[in-house]
Amino acid sequence: QGNFNFGAGFSSDEGLGGFAELRLNNFDISNWPNFTGGGQQLALKFNIGSQRDQYSLSFTDPEFMSYPFAMGFDLFDDSYQIRGGADYTEDRRGGQLRLGKTLSNYMTMRSSLRHETTEITGLPFFVNPIIRRQSRESTTISLQNEFERNTLDALRDPADGSKHVLSLELAGLGGDNEFYKIFMDSQWYRALDEEEKWILSFRSREGYVAEYGGSNYVPLTDKFYAGGTNTVRGYENRDIGPKAKEYIFFGDNFPLGGNITYVGNLELKYKLTEQLRFYTFLDAG
């Protein structure tokens, strides 16, 4: 069991690009050469574009060694050309080990150990020192715990229920960066008619991140940003939030990211057909 998806498109956040994804849902890493029949999950993704290149490999065993918990890993390489203010390239590569446990029909707990190397290149020589200090290569080693409560009636295209994910991350188990991050992501869905053609949904995201110990700043890649198709539509990517002048007293505004965030999305969906949907929305952040 599995599927292969591919396509191409254009977005204001990532420019022109194409993607391909191979997902196997009945993988068996020990069954060579067929690699089938174990109920494991394997996903290989490519996303190549004019502004962003992404490669990732994920593996999950939902019942690791026949025990009632899931275990898996992710490997990733992400290169993103940030545009607006000081143009630069943000390279992130690394991986994480995951462990998950179902606590009840609705509750799940997940833990992950992440190792990530980040490098920011392409900054002008005389760029603002606030920006320049993060241009070096740095490593983050962090432990993250997630608690999820999910009562949605469907994984895709839900019409009723809610989903809440609380994430707690502590970085500083080695590496160069020390910070802690708290993030909450909540979604609610409600059908407005018996046929479930009109669906009202609301999503709320809140977060806080701060440095501790010997660190005097949180890396740009771990701060919060708003603006763009995944947060507040109608704004450029990362356009909402704290900014600094590219050259201290002049130049374009450079997004620095925030230590605190809130994003709210209210959507009304109408099911025109089984495959076609119409949306209207209101975003704030």
Side-chain angles (χ1 to χ4, degrees), residues 33-258:
N34 297 320
F35 296 109
T36 59
Q40 300 165 351
Q41 300 161 6
L42 181 73
L44 183 62
K45 299 180 182 179
F46 299 89
N47 190 342
I48 302 174
S50 57
Q51 290 183 231
R52 188 168 210 157
D53 293 336
Q54 292 177 297
Y55 308 91
S56 67
L57 172 67
S58 298
F59 170 81
T60 302
D61 189 340
E63 293 186 353
F64 181 68
M65 298 181 66
S66 301
Y67 289 100
F69 58 84
M71 191 169 186
F73 66 85
D74 305 296
L75 301 174
F76 59 87
D77 190 316
D78 186 355
S79 179
Y80 187 22
Q81 294 182 5
I82 310 296
R83 297 181 180 177
D87 295 346
Y88 66 94
T89 300
E90 185 180 277
D91 292 311
R92 307 174 67 175
R93 56 191 178 276
Q96 64 177 1
L97 293 173
R98 294 179 279 105
L99 182 67
K101 180 73 170 68
T102 299
L103 304 178
S104 69
N105 291 335
Y106 305 118
M107 293 289 297
T108 304
M109 181 182 71
R110 293 183 291 267
S111 296
S112 61
L113 180 64
R114 174 172 68 106
H115 185 289
E116 179 179 305
T117 300
T118 303
E119 185 176 11
I120 293 177
T121 58
L123 289 171
F125 181 75
F126 294 106
V127 75
N128 192 319
I130 296 177
I131 306 167
R132 167 62 63 182
R133 68 181 181 180
Q134 304 200 46
S135 62
R136 64 182 176 86
E137 182 178 283
S138 66
T139 299
T140 299
I141 302 175
S142 68
L143 179 65
Q144 183 176 27
N145 291 302
E146 284 188 354
F147 302 90
E148 178 181 314
R149 185 177 189 273
N150 190 336
T151 62
L152 298 179
D153 60 348
L155 293 177
R156 288 188 175 184
D157 202 22
D160 187 68
S162 64
K163 179 180 177 181
H164 309 276
V165 179
L166 173 63
S167 172
L168 308 171
E169 182 177 7
L170 178 67
L173 310 177
D176 303 305
N177 302 308
E178 296 176 321
F179 63 86
Y180 60 91
K181 181 186 291 188
I182 304 171
F183 190 72
M184 184 73 183
D185 187 349
S186 297
Q187 302 174 60
W188 294 267
Y189 295 85
R190 179 72 179 271
L192 302 181
D193 62 327
E194 293 184 359
E195 293 80 15
E196 295 186 347
K197 287 186 174 293
W198 292 95
I199 309 296
L200 184 67
S201 66
F202 179 69
R203 185 178 185 184
S204 175
R205 284 169 280 181
E206 308 88 25
Y208 178 75
V209 62
E211 68 277 4
Y212 74 93
S215 293
N216 56 8
Y217 65 89
V218 177
L220 289 174
T221 52
D222 289 289
K223 284 194 170 185
F224 299 112
Y225 298 89
T229 55
N230 294 321
T231 52
V232 183
R233 288 159 285 194
Y235 287 84
E236 294 292 330
N237 191 39
R238 299 189 175 187
D239 192 42
I240 301 174
K243 298 178 181 178
K245 288 294 184 182
E246 186 177 354
Y247 301 104
I248 304 180
F249 300 111
F250 64 94
D252 295 328
N253 288 321
F254 180 93
L256 297 175

Side-chain angles (χ1 to χ4, degrees), residues 266-277:
L266 182 66
E267 284 190 351
L268 180 63
K269 174 176 63 179
Y270 179 69
K271 297 181 180 180
L272 292 171
T273 67
E274 287 299 318
Q275 291 79 29
L276 190 60
R277 306 288 185 265

